[in-house]
Amino acid sequence: MIQLTINGKPETLDVSPEMPLLWAIRDTLGLTGTKFGCGVAQCGACVVHLDGEAVRSCVTKMSRAEGKNVVTIEGLSENNDHPAQKAWQEIDVPQCGYCHSGQIMSAAVLLRENPNPTDQDIDDAMAGNICRCGTYPRIRKAIHLASQMQGNNKI
């Protein structure tokens, strides 16, 4: 049995310690906002927060997550009103939308650690998140907008 907290709720899961966190989140708990992309930590579609750190849940074993706090896209905000989520909607960032839960989760960590990122800061922080539709200019614009929203307390 593995105990951890997911989106503020204590959970005890009867899964293998070797199981990727992604599959526990999606298949065991039914939280399907976190996506499977590549399975080898190269695309970023599966990014979640593990004790505040952005991690690739497809390669994060349950043994690493045990006793920790996990936040998925479903738990980032109660009403989809995190500045990144609001900016994504306002800028209309997604095209196919598949990568965007991972993009938003990575952006949320960036904005927490660097509230006023430059274009280069954004490019560096988001380099590990692949968008097959190429919406990178809109992603950058949305992160700048989220930074402004965050600074103006429009959360």
Side-chain angles (χ1 to χ4, degrees):
M1 298 298 242
I2 306 254
Q3 295 181 338
L4 66 164
T5 301
I6 302 208
N7 299 331
K9 181 181 174 194
E11 298 283 356
T12 300
L13 304 178
D14 187 11
V15 298
S16 167
E18 298 298 308
M19 174 186 257
L21 176 59
L22 174 65
W23 300 123
I25 290 168
R26 289 183 57 81
D27 294 348
T28 305
L29 295 170
L31 299 171
T32 57
T34 304
K35 303 300 182 198
F36 172 78
C38 66
V40 292
Q42 296 297 306
C43 75
C46 68
V47 171
V48 298
H49 299 168
L50 182 65
D51 281 348
E53 174 190 357
V55 299
R56 309 305 169 106
S57 62
C58 70
V59 295
T60 301
K61 293 180 180 181
M62 287 300 296
S63 58
R64 179 176 174 208
E66 186 165 15
K68 297 194 173 154
N69 184 37
V70 176
V71 177
T72 68
I73 190 69
E74 293 91 345
L76 185 61
S77 66
E78 280 190 42
N79 299 306
N80 292 324
D81 60 357
H82 183 280
Q85 291 170 310
K86 289 169 61 174
W88 247 249
Q89 292 171 15
E90 189 166 324
I91 302 296
D92 197 21
V93 173
Q95 190 163 318
C96 84
Y98 197 82
C99 70
H100 287 285
S101 60
Q103 298 274 2
I104 289 170
M105 295 303 282
S106 292
V109 170
L110 166 64
L111 290 165
R112 186 187 69 232
E113 294 176 355
N114 182 353
N116 297 299
T118 65
D119 282 351
Q120 190 62 57
D121 294 334
I122 293 168
D123 292 349
D124 292 346
M126 301 299 290
N129 290 76
I130 296 171
C131 174
R132 63 185 176 194
C133 300
T135 65
Y136 301 112
R138 293 195 311 248
I139 291 168
R140 185 189 296 148
K141 186 175 180 181
I143 292 172
H144 282 301
L145 177 59
S147 172
Q148 292 170 356
M149 290 175 169
Q150 190 172 260
N152 292 328
N153 295 320
K154 293 182 183 176
I155 301 175

